[in-house]
Amino acid sequence: MTTHENIAKALKARLSELTRRVAEIDSELRKPLSADFEEQAADLENQGALEAIENSEIHEIREIQEALRRISEGTYGVCTKCGIDIDPKRLKAQPTATRCISCAA
Ligand SMILES: [Zn+2]
């Protein structure tokens, strides 16, 4: 297996994990609010926190989908700005990186 195939495999595992979590948060957010006023306040606070988590997870899902698309197109690991190969160590630490260290800085 090539390095990129290994990365794709890890990204897909992460993607299904994130998709499952976002679905869980969605069903949590769809629950009706408590009848009690004070509990409603706590519910809303909780929902705000869940929404923040959901948003960051949705953002990560998009990044992963983009990385998987680049892997299948054969453009993965190439800096989108200057076109050089991104350092494999950088990709290992941040598999969804689209720019090399100098362009990302
Ligand atoms: Zn670059």
Side-chain angles (χ1 to χ4, degrees), residues 79 81-82 84 100 103:
C79 175
K81 199 174 172 199
C82 70
I84 69 159
C100 69
C103 293

Side-chain angles (χ1 to χ4, degrees), residues 68-83:
L68 288 171
R69 189 182 61 78
R70 287 159 55 82
I71 289 171
S72 68
E73 285 179 349
T75 56
Y76 182 78
V78 178
C79 175
T80 53
K81 199 174 172 199
C82 70

